[in-house]
Amino acid sequence: MKKSLLIGVICFVSAFASAQDVKKPFSPVDVLKERNLGDPQVSPDDKWVAYTLSEVDTAKDRSFSHLWMQSLTGGESIELTHGSDDATNPRWSPDGRYLSFLSSRESKTGSQVWLLDRRGGEASKLTDVKGDLNAYAWSPDAKKLVLLIQDSENNGKEDPKNPLPIRIDSYHFKQDIDGYLHHLHTHLYIFDVETKKLDTLTKGNTDEQSPEWSPDGKLIAFTSNHTADPEKNDNADIFRIEAKPNGQIQQLTTWKGHDLNPKWSPDGRYIAYLRSTSDVDYIMYDQDVLCLMDADGRNNKTLTLKLDRPVVSPEWSKDSKYIAFAVIDDRRSYLAQYSIDTKKISTVNNGNYGISDVVAFMASSWIVELSTPYLPTELFAVENGDLHRLTHHQDWLNNIKLAHVEGFKSVSKDGTDVSGLIYLPDSVRTKKLPFILYIHGGPVGQDDYTFDDIRQALACEGYAVAAVNYRGSNGRGIDYCKAIFADWGNKEVTDLLGAVDELVKDGIADPDHLGIGGWSYGSILTDYTIATDTRFKAGVAGAGSALQTTMYGSDEYVLQYDNELGPPWKSQEKWINLSYPFFHADRIKTPVMFMSGLKDFNVPTAGSEQMYMALKAQNIPSELILYPNQYHEFTVPSYQVDRLKRYIAWYNKYLK
């Protein structure tokens, strides 16, 4: 009996140990554990990188952003701010004495600059300005700040009990999150750290962005649109101004498209910046190229035009020999650099992952944000082309089983090659699976080899989930991106259906259990697709629209409409053709759950309501889920979980 008892105990312990090793599949509630890292900033002595980390407080049902600091010479990681007040925009003072940040703690007038003395002690408030302080930068001598401040409403006073009527007479009069716009402009100011004196640099009916000090501290570069009617074009240019009141302003660029994000070389000789490919008033389907000019605006030249890929996050090396940047390529973004000496572009690091937000480290090394299909964003150092992981905030995933992700290709019926990703519950394929085509928004964007919690949750529920980079997506060149100009729901649907056909032929997708869905333009394409093809048995359409004529003046895209389609009264037939999911709603047989945030000014709720009513009137199973106080992107954590749970319940009802 003792021997039998011992064997029983051993078996129980072994079974318990095996159970502990079994990982739980990723589920909707796991999105609450995901940390969002951003805005890395390297200290002047190259020993630390400061960054923001956003985490969910489930008790308060909101996310909080705090500052962290990671050692670059060891493994030490330190949380610098705490509590229920957000801290953003970390910046090191050039003398290394302070780490500053923005926070609205102890302030009734919005965010202010706060200082953390590196010698110790609590943070102290430095500024007390009126208006929305949304960016700032230290002068090279650490004695001044340039502040980017939006005009204050009610002259900085508290809102009246009964707000005054909103007077609108502008062309661009509404914006998601901002709401109705109040003729408020954003200008540059100089703030003296010692005396706390605030001086005005720019004023008038223009808006300034992206201030950048010259290395000698005498000038500030920035972007602004000084055309006669800036609301009706995208023609931002780069200027520089003397860093003093009534300083002289000089316009450095004259491209009729936009010029953005000026970056002064550390030796003061050059300014690198991004420029649009197109020089028209406005086009949705564009990509930025890296440019270089002398600090006075002469010898202007494009550096990456021949790459035919969007470029983001340019950054100078500390020795002024290189400009690093991220290149958005097919399903990935990689790190590249331009050599000032050889005038050549080289790839620094590339792989099946996404690199972004490049920051200089040491002489010619880099800190980047990096994500893979199995890892949300973490910070990595790139030295001699090799990656070295710095932060470990996503280690909670060590106990989670994730879906397998791999790339695939398809060919559309017109011969177009299309790239995509497929998410599978397991890496070993044993049978056809119920399938969901989950479509990305934009349309100018792409699905890539980075972490995707929505598709992970759906795949871990037992679905094969496809992400397809239809024409209109970026990462494949400007012609691929511009292919859908004024022709929505045509080539994209051809590409989406071609990808579905390929996955059915490969034995991955069960043709009798096909689902579809998406958010924003992904929702719009869901409507287009189910009005074209009736084989989808379930759909989810969030923040979309189909009766496009009703969006003119209701959403924030009037500049695109006027430049791409023309106003409805001049091109009525085109607008009606682009609204075919609504006008041919009688062709739709797919049960659809529609969703919207009730404060969404990007794609207003009316778009979802109209399609819901069109299906309901025909007795097609449909639901309309409305989320109070939410914009185009949801910010309340419990709503994010609820939305994902409803996705799964809807698909399970009709596909399983």
Side-chain angles (χ1 to χ4, degrees):
M1 289 182 65
K2 289 183 179 180
K3 185 177 180 180
S4 298
L5 179 62
L6 179 61
I7 292 173
V9 170
I10 291 173
C11 291
F12 174 78
V13 171
S14 299
F16 181 78
S18 297
Q20 294 302 299
D21 292 336
V22 175
K23 294 183 177 181
K24 179 177 68 72
F26 187 87
S27 68
V29 295
D30 289 323
V31 301
L32 302 177
K33 303 173 186 176
E34 188 175 343
R35 277 76 166 169
N36 294 314
L37 282 74
D39 206 0
Q41 301 289 323
V42 175
S43 62
D45 59 9
D46 285 320
K47 292 182 178 180
W48 297 89
V49 57
Y51 56 95
T52 60
L53 181 73
S54 179
E55 299 179 88
V56 172
D57 184 327
T58 54
K60 296 183 178 179
D61 201 13
R62 61 157 291 190
S63 296
F64 292 95
S65 176
H66 291 297
L67 302 189
W68 284 68
M69 190 167 69
Q70 174 68 44
S71 172
L72 295 175
T73 57
E76 190 176 11
S77 182
I78 303 172
E79 184 175 4
L80 299 175
T81 64
H82 306 81
S84 58
D85 294 302
D86 290 326
T88 62
N89 297 66
R91 299 291 183 268
W92 299 93
S93 62
D95 59 8
R97 180 177 177 183
Y98 298 107
L99 178 63
S100 57
F101 60 93
L102 292 183
S103 179
S104 59
R105 61 178 73 178
E106 299 180 15
S107 177
K108 295 182 180 180
T109 58
S111 294
Q112 303 294 336
V113 178
W114 287 70
L115 298 181
L116 275 168
D117 195 319
R118 297 189 69 188
R119 295 170 298 182
E122 296 292 327
S124 60
K125 187 169 69 170
L126 176 63
T127 65
D128 189 17
V129 300
K130 297 178 181 179
D132 186 5
L133 200 171
N134 52 47
Y136 69 102
W138 285 90
S139 64
D141 62 6
K143 294 181 178 180
K144 296 179 180 180
L145 300 173
V146 56
L147 306 180
L148 195 64
I149 306 174
Q150 186 183 66
D151 299 339
S152 62
E153 294 185 44
N154 304 314
N155 295 318
K157 299 178 182 178
E158 292 187 15
D159 291 335
K161 182 178 180 180
N162 294 314
L164 296 174
I166 300 172
R167 185 182 68 87
I168 292 173
D169 65 356
S170 56
Y171 178 76
H172 179 207
F173 67 91
K174 63 192 305 186
Q175 189 77 25
D176 196 38
I177 300 177
D178 294 327
Y180 291 103
L181 304 180
H182 295 258
H183 303 276
L184 303 176
H185 294 286
T186 302
H187 298 302
L188 301 178
Y189 298 81
I190 290 286
F191 181 85
D192 189 288
V193 174
E194 182 177 353
T195 66
K196 297 190 177 182
K197 181 183 178 184
L198 185 69
D199 288 314
T200 301
L201 280 186
T202 63
K203 53 188 176 181
N205 295 324
T206 60
D207 294 279
E208 283 69 63
Q209 299 292 334
S210 306
E212 173 95 358
W213 289 87
S214 63
D216 62 9
K218 295 180 179 179
L219 300 166
I220 296 172
F222 62 94
T223 64
S224 188
N225 187 333
H226 285 196
T227 61
D229 198 350
E231 291 184 311
K232 292 189 175 182
N233 62 70
D234 191 34
N235 186 13
D237 282 302
I238 294 176
F239 298 77
R240 68 179 193 180
I241 185 172
E242 293 177 304
K244 61 183 181 181
N246 301 313
Q248 183 178 357
I249 297 178
Q250 178 186 1
Q251 183 172 338
L252 301 181
T253 63
T254 57
W255 180 249
K256 290 184 179 180
H258 65 237
D259 302 297
L260 304 171
N261 200 18
K263 294 284 185 179
W264 231 295
S265 63
D267 61 13
R269 295 175 59 193
Y270 305 108
I271 295 176
Y273 65 99
L274 298 177
R275 194 203 79 180
S276 62
T277 304
S278 175
D279 63 351
V280 298
D281 283 344
Y282 180 84
I283 182 172
M284 168 71 76
Y285 320 98
D286 206 346
Q287 56 189 30
D288 287 338
V289 298
L290 180 65
C291 297
L292 184 69
M293 61 183 169
D294 294 344
D296 60 3
R298 292 183 295 179
N299 299 317
N300 192 305
K301 54 187 176 182
T302 60
L303 305 180
T304 64
L305 191 60
K306 292 183 179 180
L307 283 180
D308 193 22
R309 293 293 186 272
V311 167
V312 297
S313 191
E315 178 79 355
W316 284 93
S317 62
K318 292 193 173 183
D319 58 10
S320 296
K321 293 183 178 180
Y322 300 95
I323 309 169
F325 48 92
V327 180
I328 299 176
D329 199 11
D330 182 14
R331 293 171 293 181
R332 58 181 59 83
S333 54
Y334 65 88
L335 183 64
Q337 65 184 21
Y338 173 84
S339 170
I340 298 298
D341 293 334
T342 67
K343 297 178 173 55
K344 293 183 178 180
I345 296 171
S346 59
T347 299
V348 179
N349 187 278
N350 194 3
N352 285 345
Y353 39 78
I355 286 176
S356 61
D357 215 345
V358 184
V359 181
F361 165 53
M362 302 296 288
S364 55
S365 297
W366 315 98
I367 304 295
V368 299
E369 296 177 19
L370 184 146
S371 175
T372 78
Y374 311 106
L375 180 71
T377 300
E378 294 275 21
L379 297 184
F380 285 72
V382 185
E383 300 178 80
N384 299 317
D386 297 326
L387 288 172
H388 170 63
R389 184 172 173 178
L390 297 173
T391 59
H392 293 268
H393 293 289
Q394 315 293 1
D395 284 351
W396 59 273
L397 276 168
N398 293 341
N399 298 317
I400 302 292
K401 180 183 182 296
L402 293 173
H404 173 72
V405 184
E406 60 185 66
F408 76 94
K409 297 273 191 177
S410 60
V411 179
S412 301
K413 65 180 182 181
D414 61 4
T416 301
D417 293 323
V418 177
S419 300
L421 300 167
I422 185 71
Y423 290 69
L424 301 168
D426 295 289
S427 58
V428 179
R429 305 178 192 173
T430 59
K431 60 180 180 179
K432 293 183 293 186
L433 293 169
F435 170 84
I436 299 170
L437 171 64
Y438 195 83
I439 309 167
H440 75 74
V444 182
Q446 71 163 344
D447 289 313
D448 56 16
Y449 290 103
T450 58
F451 192 77
D452 189 317
D453 48 21
I454 293 177
R455 293 187 178 92
Q456 280 287 348
L458 294 174
C460 286
E461 184 66 20
Y463 294 96
V465 184
V468 179
N469 289 322
Y470 51 84
R471 274 171 283 186
S473 306
N474 60 17
R476 293 281 303 279
I478 192 66
D479 290 339
Y480 191 87
C481 189
K482 293 169 67 174
I484 67 170
F485 182 90
D487 186 23
W488 312 339
N490 179 14
K491 297 181 178 69
E492 311 100 298
V493 173
T494 299
D495 296 341
L496 294 170
L497 294 178
V500 174
D501 292 339
E502 179 68 26
L503 294 169
V504 168
K505 184 180 72 173
D506 286 347
I508 296 173
D510 185 340
D512 296 323
H513 297 84
L514 301 179
I516 190 171
W519 197 264
S520 193
Y521 198 75
S523 174
I524 293 172
L525 287 182
T526 296
D527 292 340
Y528 279 124
T529 305
I530 61 177
T532 304
D533 193 314
T534 60
R535 58 179 153 161
F536 294 95
K537 301 299 189 293
V540 171
S545 63
L547 183 54
Q548 305 303 352
T549 52
T550 63
M551 295 295 105
Y552 190 92
S554 296
D555 64 20
E556 59 188 31
Y557 293 104
V558 66
L559 186 60
Q560 177 188 355
Y561 297 150
D562 282 348
N563 283 275
E564 184 174 347
L565 306 178
W569 52 92
K570 289 186 177 181
S571 48
Q572 187 180 60
E573 184 176 352
K574 183 181 295 183
W575 280 85
I576 292 175
N577 289 338
L578 293 181
S579 301
Y580 79 71
F582 185 83
F583 288 116
H584 297 291
D586 55 338
R587 300 178 181 178
I588 297 175
K589 307 302 178 186
T590 304
V592 182
M593 179 173 62
F594 298 95
M595 291 180 165
S596 178
L598 285 174
K599 284 191 173 181
D600 190 344
F601 273 17
N602 188 311
V603 185
T605 298
S608 298
E609 292 173 332
Q610 290 159 357
M611 281 304 291
Y612 164 75
M613 199 68 255
L615 267 61
K616 205 69 176 176
Q618 301 177 84
N619 297 315
I620 303 296
S622 54
E623 288 185 6
L624 177 62
I625 312 299
L626 304 175
Y627 291 89
N629 300 314
Q630 294 303 284
Y631 304 102
H632 195 61
E633 300 295 335
F634 288 4
T635 57
V636 174
S638 64
Y639 287 163
Q640 295 169 349
V641 174
D642 179 86
R643 173 174 56 181
L644 200 42
K645 285 182 175 180
R646 290 181 188 274
Y647 280 5
I648 291 172
W650 188 262
Y651 288 128
N652 285 350
K653 181 177 181 179
Y654 292 100
L655 299 183
K656 287 190 176 181

